[in-house]
Amino acid sequence: MTTASTGQIWDAGRYQANAGFVPVLGAPVLTLLAPAEGERILDLGCGDGALTEKLVACGAVVTGVDGSAAMIDAARARGLTAEVMDGHALNYSACFEAVFSNAALHWMTRPEPVVAGVARALVPGGRFVAEFGGFGNVAAVVTALTAALNRRNIDPAPRNPWYFPTVEEYSALLIRHGFVIEDIALVPRPTPLPTGMAGWLETFAGPFVAGLEETERQAILDEAVAAMAPALRDGSGGWWADYMRLRFRARLGA
Ligand code: BEZ
């Protein structure tokens, strides 16, 4: 178990139970990447390596990086090449044909150094292909947590660990760093939650309630879950996440 720069605590076992669907839903961005035999690919925010393994199976030579030591241990246990590295401080220079990322960039709240590091890591003409939470992602979740914190006079802004940009904002960022955008879109993807909203919050929303006394912490989470029910619980009592993905393929100018 480890804490990354956002204060998020990662546990590979709990992640698998509450969010094992995340790599399964990575198929469209893998298709957009179209990894080729022998290509050197950096998997940025590789987590436990479930998708990294698929890149390797395509014949690519893959390096995974993640800010969480627990996740890197899990990736290495699959036999993958992986190292602990903060995505804001990538330490590579012109050594990958592609940088790939799934469900990770929204945890990197200073996107400027992230994209600068990706551009540095790529060879000229290399591609950056990724999917992550875009503008409006988990909006009902953020709104409910924000309201529960505000009611207790706790400022939610410094606790929010997520970055969900618009197409326009992220496009401008990519262009500033020398990329030509080949494809970019916001894609709504309501996603069923196997362990309900409480399980999802336990895995992902820790920073909103970090450091609070246990009774208050639980009260905030319960209140937020109750507020989300009208929007995110279906007629059979099943919970859904209101995911909105930002998916793109961009190429570094030669
Ligand atoms: C996402 O995959 O969109 C996501 C996951 C955890 C927290 C926030 C967003």
Side-chain angles (χ1 to χ4, degrees), residues 39-56 60-87 90-92 95-96 98-102 104 108 121:
E39 274 193 318
R40 295 166 298 169
I41 299 180
L42 177 67
D43 185 352
L44 171 55
C46 65
D48 66 3
L51 272 183
T52 322
E53 239 174 14
K54 294 202 185 306
L55 301 179
V56 171
V61 180
V62 188
T63 302
V65 292
D66 201 284
S68 158
M71 287 300 193
I72 289 300
D73 284 347
R76 286 182 177 155
R78 295 176 190 263
L80 297 166
T81 302
E83 59 181 315
V84 179
M85 196 178 291
D86 182 349
L90 291 176
N91 191 18
Y92 298 106
C95 52
F96 295 102
V99 174
F100 170 80
S101 185
N102 181 56
M108 301 174 201

mmCIF file of all heavy atoms in Angstrom, residues 39-56 60-87 90-92 95-96 98-102 104 108 121:
data_model
loop_
_atom_site.group_PDB
_atom_site.id
_atom_site.type_symbol
_atom_site.label_atom_id
_atom_site.label_comp_id
_atom_site.label_asym_id
_atom_site.label_seq_id
_atom_site.Cartn_x
_atom_site.Cartn_y
_atom_site.Cartn_z
ATOM 1 N N GLU A 39 7.955 -2.369 -31.409
ATOM 2 C CA GLU A 39 7.907 -0.958 -31.028
ATOM 3 C C GLU A 39 8.250 -0.784 -29.557
ATOM 4 O O GLU A 39 7.799 -1.569 -28.719
ATOM 5 C CB GLU A 39 6.486 -0.405 -31.222
ATOM 6 C CG GLU A 39 6.188 0.096 -32.586
ATOM 7 C CD GLU A 39 4.903 0.908 -32.592
ATOM 8 O OE1 GLU A 39 3.923 0.500 -31.936
ATOM 9 O OE2 GLU A 39 4.884 1.930 -33.270
ATOM 10 N N ARG A 40 8.966 0.280 -29.248
ATOM 11 C CA ARG A 40 9.244 0.593 -27.841
ATOM 12 C C ARG A 40 8.131 1.504 -27.335
ATOM 13 O O ARG A 40 7.900 2.581 -27.906
ATOM 14 C CB ARG A 40 10.605 1.282 -27.713
ATOM 15 C CG ARG A 40 11.786 0.398 -28.115
ATOM 16 C CD ARG A 40 13.035 1.211 -28.294
ATOM 17 N NE ARG A 40 12.900 2.191 -29.366
ATOM 18 C CZ ARG A 40 13.758 3.182 -29.619
ATOM 19 N NH1 ARG A 40 14.835 3.327 -28.867
ATOM 20 N NH2 ARG A 40 13.569 4.028 -30.618
ATOM 21 N N ILE A 41 7.429 1.018 -26.306
ATOM 22 C CA ILE A 41 6.263 1.760 -25.801
ATOM 23 C C ILE A 41 6.403 1.997 -24.303
ATOM 24 O O ILE A 41 6.739 1.080 -23.544
ATOM 25 C CB ILE A 41 4.955 0.983 -26.095
ATOM 26 C CG1 ILE A 41 4.777 0.797 -27.612
ATOM 27 C CG2 ILE A 41 3.751 1.716 -25.503
ATOM 28 C CD1 ILE A 41 3.530 0.040 -28.010
ATOM 29 N N LEU A 42 6.114 3.243 -23.895
ATOM 30 C CA LEU A 42 6.057 3.584 -22.470
ATOM 31 C C LEU A 42 4.594 3.576 -22.041
ATOM 32 O O LEU A 42 3.766 4.256 -22.643
ATOM 33 C CB LEU A 42 6.656 4.979 -22.250
ATOM 34 C CG LEU A 42 6.603 5.494 -20.806
ATOM 35 C CD1 LEU A 42 7.501 4.656 -19.893
ATOM 36 C CD2 LEU A 42 7.013 6.968 -20.742
ATOM 37 N N ASP A 43 4.282 2.771 -21.028
ATOM 38 C CA ASP A 43 2.918 2.760 -20.470
ATOM 39 C C ASP A 43 2.925 3.653 -19.228
ATOM 40 O O ASP A 43 3.429 3.275 -18.167
ATOM 41 C CB ASP A 43 2.511 1.317 -20.116
ATOM 42 C CG ASP A 43 1.062 1.234 -19.652
ATOM 43 O OD1 ASP A 43 0.428 2.285 -19.453
ATOM 44 O OD2 ASP A 43 0.573 0.100 -19.473
ATOM 45 N N LEU A 44 2.356 4.853 -19.391
ATOM 46 C CA LEU A 44 2.411 5.885 -18.347
ATOM 47 C C LEU A 44 1.233 5.711 -17.390
ATOM 48 O O LEU A 44 0.077 5.853 -17.784
ATOM 49 C CB LEU A 44 2.371 7.260 -19.040
ATOM 50 C CG LEU A 44 2.205 8.504 -18.174
ATOM 51 C CD1 LEU A 44 3.274 8.579 -17.092
ATOM 52 C CD2 LEU A 44 2.246 9.750 -19.053
ATOM 53 N N GLY A 45 1.541 5.391 -16.125
ATOM 54 C CA GLY A 45 0.490 5.094 -15.147
ATOM 55 C C GLY A 45 -0.017 3.685 -15.368
ATOM 56 O O GLY A 45 -1.217 3.444 -15.497
ATOM 57 N N CYS A 46 0.921 2.742 -15.385
ATOM 58 C CA CYS A 46 0.591 1.361 -15.796
ATOM 59 C C CYS A 46 -0.209 0.604 -14.750
ATOM 60 O O CYS A 46 -0.745 -0.465 -15.032
ATOM 61 C CB CYS A 46 1.863 0.596 -16.130
ATOM 62 S SG CYS A 46 2.946 0.341 -14.705
ATOM 63 N N GLY A 47 -0.304 1.135 -13.520
ATOM 64 C CA GLY A 47 -1.038 0.425 -12.471
ATOM 65 C C GLY A 47 -0.470 -0.968 -12.260
ATOM 66 O O GLY A 47 0.751 -1.164 -12.249
ATOM 67 N N ASP A 48 -1.357 -1.955 -12.121
ATOM 68 C CA ASP A 48 -0.883 -3.318 -11.843
ATOM 69 C C ASP A 48 -0.454 -4.067 -13.102
ATOM 70 O O ASP A 48 -0.130 -5.245 -13.045
ATOM 71 C CB ASP A 48 -1.948 -4.113 -11.077
ATOM 72 C CG ASP A 48 -3.200 -4.373 -11.905
ATOM 73 O OD1 ASP A 48 -3.233 -3.995 -13.100
ATOM 74 O OD2 ASP A 48 -4.166 -4.945 -11.359
ATOM 75 N N GLY A 49 -0.455 -3.385 -14.246
ATOM 76 C CA GLY A 49 0.113 -3.964 -15.469
ATOM 77 C C GLY A 49 -0.856 -4.790 -16.309
ATOM 78 O O GLY A 49 -0.437 -5.438 -17.271
ATOM 79 N N ALA A 50 -2.149 -4.740 -15.986
ATOM 80 C CA ALA A 50 -3.114 -5.581 -16.719
ATOM 81 C C ALA A 50 -3.132 -5.231 -18.217
ATOM 82 O O ALA A 50 -3.206 -6.138 -19.061
ATOM 83 C CB ALA A 50 -4.509 -5.426 -16.115
ATOM 84 N N LEU A 51 -3.055 -3.933 -18.542
ATOM 85 C CA LEU A 51 -3.038 -3.560 -19.967
ATOM 86 C C LEU A 51 -1.624 -3.617 -20.548
ATOM 87 O O LEU A 51 -1.453 -3.909 -21.730
ATOM 88 C CB LEU A 51 -3.604 -2.151 -20.155
ATOM 89 C CG LEU A 51 -5.118 -2.046 -20.343
ATOM 90 C CD1 LEU A 51 -5.508 -0.589 -20.580
ATOM 91 C CD2 LEU A 51 -5.617 -2.900 -21.501
ATOM 92 N N THR A 52 -0.632 -3.354 -19.704
ATOM 93 C CA THR A 52 0.767 -3.440 -20.153
ATOM 94 C C THR A 52 1.035 -4.829 -20.737
ATOM 95 O O THR A 52 1.695 -4.977 -21.770
ATOM 96 C CB THR A 52 1.719 -3.203 -18.950
ATOM 97 O OG1 THR A 52 1.166 -2.197 -18.104
ATOM 98 C CG2 THR A 52 3.097 -2.804 -19.401
ATOM 99 N N GLU A 53 0.468 -5.827 -20.070
ATOM 100 C CA GLU A 53 0.612 -7.219 -20.516
ATOM 101 C C GLU A 53 0.074 -7.394 -21.935
ATOM 102 O O GLU A 53 0.621 -8.149 -22.735
ATOM 103 C CB GLU A 53 -0.218 -8.105 -19.583
ATOM 104 C CG GLU A 53 0.566 -9.150 -18.885
ATOM 105 C CD GLU A 53 -0.266 -9.911 -17.859
ATOM 106 O OE1 GLU A 53 -1.510 -9.827 -17.859
ATOM 107 O OE2 GLU A 53 0.369 -10.623 -17.060
ATOM 108 N N LYS A 54 -1.012 -6.698 -22.232
ATOM 109 C CA LYS A 54 -1.604 -6.827 -23.570
ATOM 110 C C LYS A 54 -0.693 -6.205 -24.634
ATOM 111 O O LYS A 54 -0.587 -6.708 -25.754
ATOM 112 C CB LYS A 54 -2.993 -6.184 -23.612
ATOM 113 C CG LYS A 54 -4.016 -6.892 -22.738
ATOM 114 C CD LYS A 54 -5.428 -6.598 -23.184
ATOM 115 C CE LYS A 54 -6.475 -7.182 -22.266
ATOM 116 N NZ LYS A 54 -6.337 -8.620 -22.008
ATOM 117 N N LEU A 55 -0.032 -5.105 -24.265
ATOM 118 C CA LEU A 55 0.913 -4.487 -25.214
ATOM 119 C C LEU A 55 2.078 -5.445 -25.489
ATOM 120 O O LEU A 55 2.518 -5.600 -26.629
ATOM 121 C CB LEU A 55 1.458 -3.166 -24.652
ATOM 122 C CG LEU A 55 0.438 -2.073 -24.325
ATOM 123 C CD1 LEU A 55 1.141 -0.841 -23.759
ATOM 124 C CD2 LEU A 55 -0.342 -1.683 -25.566
ATOM 125 N N VAL A 56 2.551 -6.082 -24.429
ATOM 126 C CA VAL A 56 3.653 -7.041 -24.577
ATOM 127 C C VAL A 56 3.202 -8.203 -25.468
ATOM 128 O O VAL A 56 3.946 -8.668 -26.345
ATOM 129 C CB VAL A 56 4.112 -7.554 -23.192
ATOM 130 C CG1 VAL A 56 5.096 -8.715 -23.328
ATOM 131 C CG2 VAL A 56 4.737 -6.419 -22.386
ATOM 132 N N ALA A 60 5.239 -5.701 -28.578
ATOM 133 C CA ALA A 60 5.927 -4.444 -28.280
ATOM 134 C C ALA A 60 6.907 -4.645 -27.126
ATOM 135 O O ALA A 60 6.767 -5.578 -26.338
ATOM 136 C CB ALA A 60 4.906 -3.366 -27.915
ATOM 137 N N VAL A 61 7.889 -3.752 -27.059
ATOM 138 C CA VAL A 61 8.872 -3.784 -25.970
ATOM 139 C C VAL A 61 8.444 -2.685 -25.003
ATOM 140 O O VAL A 61 8.618 -1.496 -25.277
ATOM 141 C CB VAL A 61 10.294 -3.511 -26.518
ATOM 142 C CG1 VAL A 61 11.311 -3.552 -25.398
ATOM 143 C CG2 VAL A 61 10.621 -4.511 -27.616
ATOM 144 N N VAL A 62 7.860 -3.089 -23.881
ATOM 145 C CA VAL A 62 7.120 -2.132 -23.068
ATOM 146 C C VAL A 62 7.799 -1.867 -21.729
ATOM 147 O O VAL A 62 8.241 -2.806 -21.058
ATOM 148 C CB VAL A 62 5.681 -2.645 -22.807
ATOM 149 C CG1 VAL A 62 4.841 -1.560 -22.134
ATOM 150 C CG2 VAL A 62 5.024 -3.079 -24.107
ATOM 151 N N THR A 63 7.829 -0.595 -21.352
ATOM 152 C CA THR A 63 8.245 -0.194 -20.010
ATOM 153 C C THR A 63 7.029 0.452 -19.347
ATOM 154 O O THR A 63 6.418 1.358 -19.917
ATOM 155 C CB THR A 63 9.373 0.860 -20.072
ATOM 156 O OG1 THR A 63 10.471 0.292 -20.792
ATOM 157 C CG2 THR A 63 9.835 1.265 -18.672
ATOM 158 N N GLY A 64 6.683 -0.018 -18.153
ATOM 159 C CA GLY A 64 5.590 0.599 -17.403
ATOM 160 C C GLY A 64 6.154 1.489 -16.314
ATOM 161 O O GLY A 64 7.154 1.151 -15.689
ATOM 162 N N VAL A 65 5.496 2.637 -16.114
ATOM 163 C CA VAL A 65 5.856 3.472 -14.956
ATOM 164 C C VAL A 65 4.584 3.836 -14.210
ATOM 165 O O VAL A 65 3.512 3.979 -14.795
ATOM 166 C CB VAL A 65 6.610 4.772 -15.349
ATOM 167 C CG1 VAL A 65 7.994 4.460 -15.890
ATOM 168 C CG2 VAL A 65 5.816 5.615 -16.330
ATOM 169 N N ASP A 66 4.720 3.980 -12.898
ATOM 170 C CA ASP A 66 3.584 4.366 -12.064
ATOM 171 C C ASP A 66 4.132 5.016 -10.803
ATOM 172 O O ASP A 66 5.226 4.670 -10.350
ATOM 173 C CB ASP A 66 2.764 3.113 -11.706
ATOM 174 C CG ASP A 66 1.341 3.464 -11.294
ATOM 175 O OD1 ASP A 66 1.151 3.939 -10.151
ATOM 176 O OD2 ASP A 66 0.428 3.291 -12.121
ATOM 177 N N GLY A 67 3.347 5.947 -10.239
ATOM 178 C CA GLY A 67 3.786 6.620 -9.016
ATOM 179 C C GLY A 67 3.647 5.772 -7.773
ATOM 180 O O GLY A 67 4.165 6.128 -6.712
ATOM 181 N N SER A 68 2.945 4.665 -7.878
ATOM 182 C CA SER A 68 2.683 3.826 -6.711
ATOM 183 C C SER A 68 3.605 2.601 -6.682
ATOM 184 O O SER A 68 3.590 1.770 -7.601
ATOM 185 C CB SER A 68 1.223 3.360 -6.737
ATOM 186 O OG SER A 68 1.064 2.204 -5.954
ATOM 187 N N ALA A 69 4.371 2.454 -5.607
ATOM 188 C CA ALA A 69 5.263 1.295 -5.476
ATOM 189 C C ALA A 69 4.461 -0.002 -5.384
ATOM 190 O O ALA A 69 4.887 -1.041 -5.893
ATOM 191 C CB ALA A 69 6.151 1.469 -4.242
ATOM 192 N N ALA A 70 3.282 0.070 -4.749
ATOM 193 C CA ALA A 70 2.451 -1.141 -4.624
ATOM 194 C C ALA A 70 2.008 -1.633 -5.997
ATOM 195 O O ALA A 70 2.008 -2.839 -6.279
ATOM 196 C CB ALA A 70 1.231 -0.845 -3.753
ATOM 197 N N MET A 71 1.625 -0.694 -6.862
ATOM 198 C CA MET A 71 1.201 -1.079 -8.207
ATOM 199 C C MET A 71 2.385 -1.610 -9.029
ATOM 200 O O MET A 71 2.248 -2.568 -9.785
ATOM 201 C CB MET A 71 0.553 0.117 -8.919
ATOM 202 C CG MET A 71 -0.821 0.439 -8.362
ATOM 203 S SD MET A 71 -1.968 -0.971 -8.554
ATOM 204 C CE MET A 71 -3.524 -0.188 -8.186
ATOM 205 N N ILE A 72 3.539 -1.002 -8.867
ATOM 206 C CA ILE A 72 4.720 -1.477 -9.612
ATOM 207 C C ILE A 72 5.106 -2.884 -9.138
ATOM 208 O O ILE A 72 5.462 -3.747 -9.947
ATOM 209 C CB ILE A 72 5.892 -0.472 -9.489
ATOM 210 C CG1 ILE A 72 5.556 0.790 -10.289
ATOM 211 C CG2 ILE A 72 7.209 -1.081 -9.968
ATOM 212 C CD1 ILE A 72 5.325 0.586 -11.790
ATOM 213 N N ASP A 73 4.983 -3.151 -7.846
ATOM 214 C CA ASP A 73 5.243 -4.515 -7.356
ATOM 215 C C ASP A 73 4.302 -5.503 -8.050
ATOM 216 O O ASP A 73 4.712 -6.594 -8.470
ATOM 217 C CB ASP A 73 5.000 -4.600 -5.835
ATOM 218 C CG ASP A 73 6.145 -3.956 -5.055
ATOM 219 O OD1 ASP A 73 7.202 -3.686 -5.658
ATOM 220 O OD2 ASP A 73 5.961 -3.719 -3.833
ATOM 221 N N ALA A 74 3.006 -5.106 -8.164
ATOM 222 C CA ALA A 74 2.020 -5.993 -8.795
ATOM 223 C C ALA A 74 2.346 -6.188 -10.282
ATOM 224 O O ALA A 74 2.207 -7.298 -10.823
ATOM 225 C CB ALA A 74 0.613 -5.420 -8.621
ATOM 226 N N ALA A 75 2.798 -5.115 -10.946
ATOM 227 C CA ALA A 75 3.153 -5.226 -12.373
ATOM 228 C C ALA A 75 4.379 -6.133 -12.549
ATOM 229 O O ALA A 75 4.415 -6.985 -13.450
ATOM 230 C CB ALA A 75 3.425 -3.839 -12.949
ATOM 231 N N ARG A 76 5.358 -5.976 -11.675
ATOM 232 C CA ARG A 76 6.567 -6.817 -11.779
ATOM 233 C C ARG A 76 6.246 -8.275 -11.500
ATOM 234 O O ARG A 76 6.862 -9.175 -12.075
ATOM 235 C CB ARG A 76 7.640 -6.328 -10.805
ATOM 236 C CG ARG A 76 8.292 -5.043 -11.273
ATOM 237 C CD ARG A 76 9.379 -4.605 -10.311
ATOM 238 N NE ARG A 76 10.068 -3.416 -10.780
ATOM 239 C CZ ARG A 76 10.690 -2.554 -10.004
ATOM 240 N NH1 ARG A 76 10.722 -2.762 -8.694
ATOM 241 N NH2 ARG A 76 11.285 -1.501 -10.510
ATOM 242 N N ALA A 77 5.251 -8.503 -10.631
ATOM 243 C CA ALA A 77 4.850 -9.890 -10.328
ATOM 244 C C ALA A 77 4.280 -10.577 -11.566
ATOM 245 O O ALA A 77 4.234 -11.806 -11.641
ATOM 246 C CB ALA A 77 3.824 -9.903 -9.188
ATOM 247 N N ARG A 78 3.854 -9.778 -12.557
ATOM 248 C CA ARG A 78 3.405 -10.354 -13.837
ATOM 249 C C ARG A 78 4.580 -10.578 -14.781
ATOM 250 O O ARG A 78 4.397 -10.949 -15.943
ATOM 251 C CB ARG A 78 2.429 -9.402 -14.541
ATOM 252 C CG ARG A 78 1.117 -9.150 -13.841
ATOM 253 C CD ARG A 78 0.316 -8.106 -14.634
ATOM 254 N NE ARG A 78 -0.851 -7.632 -13.933
ATOM 255 C CZ ARG A 78 -2.098 -8.094 -14.124
ATOM 256 N NH1 ARG A 78 -2.322 -9.044 -15.005
ATOM 257 N NH2 ARG A 78 -3.116 -7.587 -13.447
ATOM 258 N N GLY A 79 5.791 -10.230 -14.338
ATOM 259 C CA GLY A 79 6.971 -10.396 -15.177
ATOM 260 C C GLY A 79 7.235 -9.207 -16.089
ATOM 261 O O GLY A 79 8.022 -9.299 -17.037
ATOM 262 N N LEU A 80 6.596 -8.072 -15.795
ATOM 263 C CA LEU A 80 6.742 -6.896 -16.660
ATOM 264 C C LEU A 80 7.930 -6.033 -16.243
ATOM 265 O O LEU A 80 8.343 -6.055 -15.073
ATOM 266 C CB LEU A 80 5.466 -6.048 -16.583
ATOM 267 C CG LEU A 80 4.207 -6.751 -17.088
ATOM 268 C CD1 LEU A 80 2.955 -5.996 -16.671
ATOM 269 C CD2 LEU A 80 4.256 -6.898 -18.610
ATOM 270 N N THR A 81 8.457 -5.268 -17.191
ATOM 271 C CA THR A 81 9.483 -4.276 -16.887
ATOM 272 C C THR A 81 8.763 -3.016 -16.425
ATOM 273 O O THR A 81 7.994 -2.421 -17.192
ATOM 274 C CB THR A 81 10.316 -3.956 -18.154
ATOM 275 O OG1 THR A 81 10.898 -5.167 -18.614
ATOM 276 C CG2 THR A 81 11.386 -2.911 -17.872
ATOM 277 N N ALA A 82 8.969 -2.628 -15.188
ATOM 278 C CA ALA A 82 8.193 -1.504 -14.653
ATOM 279 C C ALA A 82 8.986 -0.820 -13.556
ATOM 280 O O ALA A 82 9.714 -1.479 -12.814
ATOM 281 C CB ALA A 82 6.867 -2.010 -14.094
ATOM 282 N N GLU A 83 8.828 0.510 -13.483
ATOM 283 C CA GLU A 83 9.524 1.217 -12.405
ATOM 284 C C GLU A 83 8.674 2.345 -11.825
ATOM 285 O O GLU A 83 7.815 2.902 -12.502
ATOM 286 C CB GLU A 83 10.887 1.724 -12.846
ATOM 287 C CG GLU A 83 10.901 2.670 -14.009
ATOM 288 C CD GLU A 83 12.335 3.075 -14.362
ATOM 289 O OE1 GLU A 83 13.109 3.390 -13.440
ATOM 290 O OE2 GLU A 83 12.668 3.093 -15.554
ATOM 291 N N VAL A 84 8.942 2.618 -10.554
ATOM 292 C CA VAL A 84 8.234 3.702 -9.873
ATOM 293 C C VAL A 84 8.755 5.026 -10.428
ATOM 294 O O VAL A 84 9.958 5.282 -10.406
ATOM 295 C CB VAL A 84 8.473 3.654 -8.342
ATOM 296 C CG1 VAL A 84 7.742 4.816 -7.657
ATOM 297 C CG2 VAL A 84 8.015 2.327 -7.764
ATOM 298 N N MET A 85 7.838 5.839 -10.960
ATOM 299 C CA MET A 85 8.237 7.152 -11.466
ATOM 300 C C MET A 85 7.021 8.067 -11.434
ATOM 301 O O MET A 85 5.913 7.665 -11.802
ATOM 302 C CB MET A 85 8.769 7.044 -12.903
ATOM 303 C CG MET A 85 9.548 8.253 -13.350
ATOM 304 S SD MET A 85 10.221 8.086 -15.032
ATOM 305 C CE MET A 85 11.472 6.840 -14.794
ATOM 306 N N ASP A 86 7.231 9.298 -10.995
ATOM 307 C CA ASP A 86 6.172 10.303 -10.990
ATOM 308 C C ASP A 86 5.945 10.777 -12.432
ATOM 309 O O ASP A 86 6.906 11.194 -13.096
ATOM 310 C CB ASP A 86 6.622 11.469 -10.095
ATOM 311 C CG ASP A 86 5.576 12.570 -9.973
ATOM 312 O OD1 ASP A 86 4.574 12.554 -10.731
ATOM 313 O OD2 ASP A 86 5.774 13.451 -9.125
ATOM 314 N N GLY A 87 4.719 10.714 -12.897
ATOM 315 C CA GLY A 87 4.408 11.134 -14.268
ATOM 316 C C GLY A 87 4.713 12.596 -14.538
ATOM 317 O O GLY A 87 4.811 13.013 -15.686
ATOM 318 N N LEU A 90 8.971 12.619 -15.793
ATOM 319 C CA LEU A 90 9.433 11.479 -16.588
ATOM 320 C C LEU A 90 10.902 11.681 -16.957
ATOM 321 O O LEU A 90 11.299 12.774 -17.353
ATOM 322 C CB LEU A 90 8.580 11.328 -17.858
ATOM 323 C CG LEU A 90 7.138 10.881 -17.643
ATOM 324 C CD1 LEU A 90 6.374 10.875 -18.966
ATOM 325 C CD2 LEU A 90 7.073 9.503 -16.974
ATOM 326 N N ASN A 91 11.636 10.585 -16.850
ATOM 327 C CA ASN A 91 13.084 10.688 -16.976
ATOM 328 C C ASN A 91 13.576 9.938 -18.222
ATOM 329 O O ASN A 91 14.428 9.060 -18.118
ATOM 330 C CB ASN A 91 13.695 10.090 -15.690
ATOM 331 C CG ASN A 91 15.158 10.380 -15.576
ATOM 332 O OD1 ASN A 91 15.660 11.279 -16.248
ATOM 333 N ND2 ASN A 91 15.859 9.609 -14.750
ATOM 334 N N TYR A 92 12.992 10.243 -19.383
ATOM 335 C CA TYR A 92 13.369 9.553 -20.619
ATOM 336 C C TYR A 92 13.623 10.587 -21.705
ATOM 337 O O TYR A 92 12.970 11.637 -21.736
ATOM 338 C CB TYR A 92 12.247 8.616 -21.080
ATOM 339 C CG TYR A 92 11.924 7.514 -20.092
ATOM 340 C CD1 TYR A 92 10.761 7.579 -19.335
ATOM 341 C CD2 TYR A 92 12.783 6.435 -19.916
ATOM 342 C CE1 TYR A 92 10.457 6.570 -18.419
ATOM 343 C CE2 TYR A 92 12.489 5.431 -19.010
ATOM 344 C CZ TYR A 92 11.323 5.506 -18.264
ATOM 345 O OH TYR A 92 11.039 4.522 -17.365
ATOM 346 N N CYS A 95 13.390 7.925 -26.552
ATOM 347 C CA CYS A 95 13.642 6.483 -26.603
ATOM 348 C C CYS A 95 12.383 5.627 -26.768
ATOM 349 O O CYS A 95 12.458 4.406 -26.618
ATOM 350 C CB CYS A 95 14.460 6.040 -25.392
ATOM 351 S SG CYS A 95 13.799 6.562 -23.833
ATOM 352 N N PHE A 96 11.237 6.232 -27.100
ATOM 353 C CA PHE A 96 10.024 5.432 -27.325
ATOM 354 C C PHE A 96 9.346 5.850 -28.640
ATOM 355 O O PHE A 96 9.290 7.039 -28.965
ATOM 356 C CB PHE A 96 9.027 5.611 -26.169
ATOM 357 C CG PHE A 96 9.532 5.076 -24.855
ATOM 358 C CD1 PHE A 96 10.034 5.943 -23.881
ATOM 359 C CD2 PHE A 96 9.529 3.713 -24.594
ATOM 360 C CE1 PHE A 96 10.514 5.451 -22.672
ATOM 361 C CE2 PHE A 96 10.015 3.218 -23.388
ATOM 362 C CZ PHE A 96 10.506 4.080 -22.427
ATOM 363 N N ALA A 98 6.161 5.177 -28.938
ATOM 364 C CA ALA A 98 4.817 5.564 -28.487
ATOM 365 C C ALA A 98 4.777 5.663 -26.975
ATOM 366 O O ALA A 98 5.467 4.924 -26.268
ATOM 367 C CB ALA A 98 3.778 4.549 -28.963
ATOM 368 N N VAL A 99 3.954 6.597 -26.497
ATOM 369 C CA VAL A 99 3.599 6.649 -25.070
ATOM 370 C C VAL A 99 2.103 6.386 -25.002
ATOM 371 O O VAL A 99 1.311 7.009 -25.725
ATOM 372 C CB VAL A 99 3.942 8.010 -24.432
ATOM 373 C CG1 VAL A 99 3.423 8.062 -22.988
ATOM 374 C CG2 VAL A 99 5.451 8.253 -24.463
ATOM 375 N N PHE A 100 1.748 5.440 -24.132
ATOM 376 C CA PHE A 100 0.359 4.993 -23.983
ATOM 377 C C PHE A 100 -0.065 5.259 -22.542
ATOM 378 O O PHE A 100 0.740 5.146 -21.620
ATOM 379 C CB PHE A 100 0.315 3.483 -24.275
ATOM 380 C CG PHE A 100 -0.980 2.807 -23.937
ATOM 381 C CD1 PHE A 100 -2.069 2.896 -24.800
ATOM 382 C CD2 PHE A 100 -1.125 2.067 -22.764
ATOM 383 C CE1 PHE A 100 -3.271 2.269 -24.490
ATOM 384 C CE2 PHE A 100 -2.315 1.437 -22.445
ATOM 385 C CZ PHE A 100 -3.401 1.540 -23.316
ATOM 386 N N SER A 101 -1.351 5.603 -22.356
ATOM 387 C CA SER A 101 -1.819 5.779 -20.980
ATOM 388 C C SER A 101 -3.315 5.522 -20.907
ATOM 389 O O SER A 101 -4.084 6.024 -21.724
ATOM 390 C CB SER A 101 -1.513 7.213 -20.508
ATOM 391 O OG SER A 101 -1.860 7.347 -19.145
ATOM 392 N N ASN A 102 -3.729 4.716 -19.935
ATOM 393 C CA ASN A 102 -5.162 4.466 -19.725
ATOM 394 C C ASN A 102 -5.536 4.757 -18.276
ATOM 395 O O ASN A 102 -4.914 4.223 -17.350
ATOM 396 C CB ASN A 102 -5.509 3.006 -20.042
ATOM 397 C CG ASN A 102 -6.999 2.738 -19.856
ATOM 398 O OD1 ASN A 102 -7.834 3.406 -20.465
ATOM 399 N ND2 ASN A 102 -7.336 1.801 -18.992
ATOM 400 N N ALA A 104 -5.162 7.116 -16.190
ATOM 401 C CA ALA A 104 -4.110 7.561 -15.268
ATOM 402 C C ALA A 104 -3.888 9.076 -15.303
ATOM 403 O O ALA A 104 -3.595 9.689 -14.272
ATOM 404 C CB ALA A 104 -2.794 6.846 -15.599
ATOM 405 N N MET A 108 -2.851 13.147 -12.572
ATOM 406 C CA MET A 108 -1.655 13.992 -12.683
ATOM 407 C C MET A 108 -2.151 15.427 -12.857
ATOM 408 O O MET A 108 -2.498 15.856 -13.951
ATOM 409 C CB MET A 108 -0.790 13.523 -13.862
ATOM 410 C CG MET A 108 -0.367 12.063 -13.682
ATOM 411 S SD MET A 108 0.502 11.377 -15.097
ATOM 412 C CE MET A 108 0.235 9.611 -14.814
ATOM 413 N N ALA A 121 10.166 12.106 -24.098
ATOM 414 C CA ALA A 121 10.393 10.654 -24.122
ATOM 415 C C ALA A 121 10.264 10.066 -25.527
ATOM 416 O O ALA A 121 10.811 8.993 -25.808
ATOM 417 C CB ALA A 121 9.408 9.971 -23.178
#
